[in-house]
Amino acid sequence: MGSSEDNLKGFILALSSSVFIGASFIIKKKGLRRAAAATGVRAGVGGHAYLLEPLWWAGMITMIIGEVANFVAYAFAPAVLVTPLGALSIIVSAVLAHFILQERLHKLAILGCVMCICGSIIIVTHAPQEHPITSVIEIWNMATQTAFLLYVASVIVLVFILVFHFAPQCGHTNVLVFTGICSLMGSLSVMSVKALGTSLKLTFEGNNQLIYPETWFFLLVVVTCVVTQMNYLNKALDTFNTAVVSPIYYVMFTTLTILASVIMFKDWDGQSGGDIISEICGFIVVLSGTILLHVTKDFEKSPSFRGNYVPVSPTLSTQLRGGNGELLSHDEEDPSSPEELRLRQELY
């Protein structure tokens, strides 16, 4: 990593975010289990007793802290560094589940964790330094440059085509439709989050950016993109298997976010070709490790691997993880009937 102090702060915040978010899934699942044991009604079949369980709320607070840390990280470090590090939350949740929930890690899952760590180290080592920004007007000039406007226009056109043409026809049969909408809007939301976070950072440092309408415009874009993102991510998760949606979403979202950041913030300007290639290779390694973890999750659903479940979560950021710990579902007992199996698979 470069000598930039801001880069170091962004890295620490992104790392902390992954730890908090990864741990939050385990804490929430413990709360869900306690609530189900106390009432006999599980969340997956309509129970809401977890809302009265302090441990579940502790998990929610932990997740919120993680998301805030992730938001602030974008104000200090480039998206090329922050976004891929979100995959580390998978490792945190998998390791904690192994020791706390007795959800044993398969050997391939351990390999996936090692790959995520190695890829993250490569990315951090070769990450570009954050360019100093002194005003939201400077960010606005970046956002209105021709290259980025073309990217934004392309995203909007593609989203409209997916929403109004492909979604009604094949949205419920092709996983790429809903995840594509999420990923495209997600890349814009991260750029706006970074702009808004930088504006707030400058404001807290004494350089008030709230007087500029551009700051509020970025806030509007964040809200619009995140709401759209959440809506179609929920549709994707409700329609398709999570083990299919999560890796596809992670690949598309992270790739598009890095592309948008490179265009808007010129993250790779001044970097050597070797550093850029190393970052791409690091991202591919993290990507491969993440997919391997999800493939392992599919293994756990077969009789020969039952009981070795690996909890996973895709990284947004933002903010794009199931509130009831959807990605941490686990069969505690062998179901005695197909109906019971179905209900257990729908839990969380």
Side-chain angles (χ1 to χ4, degrees):
M1 187 168 60
S3 59
S4 169
E5 183 179 343
D6 281 353
N7 261 27
L8 179 59
K9 291 178 181 178
F11 165 70
I12 294 174
L13 285 166
L15 189 61
S16 301
S17 172
S18 294
V19 172
F20 279 107
I21 290 173
S24 72
F25 283 105
I26 307 304
I27 298 172
K28 286 196 295 180
K29 182 159 187 180
K30 291 283 286 184
L32 287 166
R33 286 183 175 181
R34 281 190 184 181
T39 64
V41 182
R42 304 178 71 171
V45 292
H48 295 90
Y50 61 85
L51 295 174
L52 302 177
E53 174 57 53
L55 194 59
W56 185 85
W57 283 106
M60 282 298 298
I61 293 172
T62 303
M63 175 170 281
I64 291 171
I65 293 173
E67 295 295 357
V68 170
N70 189 63
F71 174 85
V72 178
Y74 281 109
F76 289 95
V80 173
L81 170 62
V82 175
T83 304
L85 289 179
L88 295 179
S89 62
I90 300 173
I91 299 176
V92 174
S93 59
V95 172
L96 289 178
H98 179 82
F99 290 104
I100 296 176
L101 301 178
Q102 285 73 52
E103 297 175 351
R104 301 305 174 190
L105 282 171
H106 186 266
K107 291 180 180 179
L108 287 178
I110 296 175
L111 176 60
C113 291
V114 172
M115 292 175 67
C116 287
I117 293 174
C118 293
S120 298
I121 291 174
I122 295 173
I123 292 172
V124 171
T125 303
H126 297 88
Q129 296 187 34
E130 179 79 332
H131 301 298
I133 297 176
T134 58
S135 171
V136 69
I137 302 301
E138 187 177 343
I139 304 176
W140 178 258
N141 291 334
M142 295 178 184
T144 54
Q145 60 184 304
T146 303
F148 189 70
L149 288 177
L150 288 174
Y151 176 81
V152 173
S154 301
V155 167
I156 293 175
V157 170
L158 286 173
V159 167
F160 269 85
I161 292 175
L162 289 172
V163 170
F164 295 106
H165 179 70
F166 287 103
Q169 293 185 3
C170 56
H172 292 278
T173 58
N174 191 329
V175 68
L176 295 178
V177 176
F178 291 150
T179 53
I181 297 171
C182 296
S183 302
L184 288 165
M185 296 300 290
S187 66
L188 296 184
S189 70
V190 170
M191 296 304 99
S192 301
V193 162
K194 183 170 178 60
L196 182 62
T198 302
S199 299
L200 294 176
K201 170 192 167 188
L202 292 171
T203 299
F204 290 139
E205 290 175 349
N207 184 6
N208 187 10
Q209 302 297 304
L210 301 181
I211 60 176
Y212 298 106
E214 289 82 359
T215 299
W216 301 102
F217 176 80
F218 285 127
L219 175 60
L220 177 62
V221 174
V222 168
V223 173
T224 303
C225 290
V226 169
V227 169
T228 305
Q229 208 175 343
M230 289 293 292
N231 178 46
Y232 283 96
L233 181 62
N234 287 333
K235 287 186 178 183
L237 292 173
D238 184 57
T239 306
F240 304 98
N241 191 314
T242 302
V244 175
V245 174
S246 297
I248 293 176
Y249 172 70
Y250 177 79
V251 172
M252 297 176 67
F253 166 73
T254 307
T255 302
L256 289 170
T257 297
I258 291 175
L259 175 62
S261 183
V262 168
I263 295 174
M264 178 174 172
F265 292 98
K266 302 291 190 293
D267 290 331
W268 285 346
D269 279 12
Q271 279 202 294
S272 66
D275 283 337
I276 295 174
I277 293 174
S278 295
E279 289 171 43
I280 294 174
C281 290
F283 170 60
I284 293 174
V285 173
V286 171
L287 183 63
S288 301
T290 303
I291 293 175
L292 189 58
L293 282 166
H294 284 279
V295 170
T296 306
K297 178 184 177 182
D298 260 353
F299 288 171
E300 311 312 332
K301 294 181 179 179
S302 66
S304 60
F305 289 97
R306 190 179 301 280
N308 292 331
Y309 175 79
V310 180
V312 292
S313 97
T315 188
L316 173 88
S317 125
T318 118
Q319 63 261 42
L320 299 176
R321 299 170 179 83
N324 291 334
E326 174 178 353
L327 302 180
L328 288 175
S329 177
H330 175 61
D331 292 337
E332 296 176 25
E333 304 171 357
D334 287 340
S336 57
S337 69
E339 179 63 18
E340 186 176 354
L341 171 61
R342 184 185 68 77
L343 291 176
R344 289 180 185 278
Q345 288 179 336
E346 290 177 355
L347 178 61
Y348 315 135

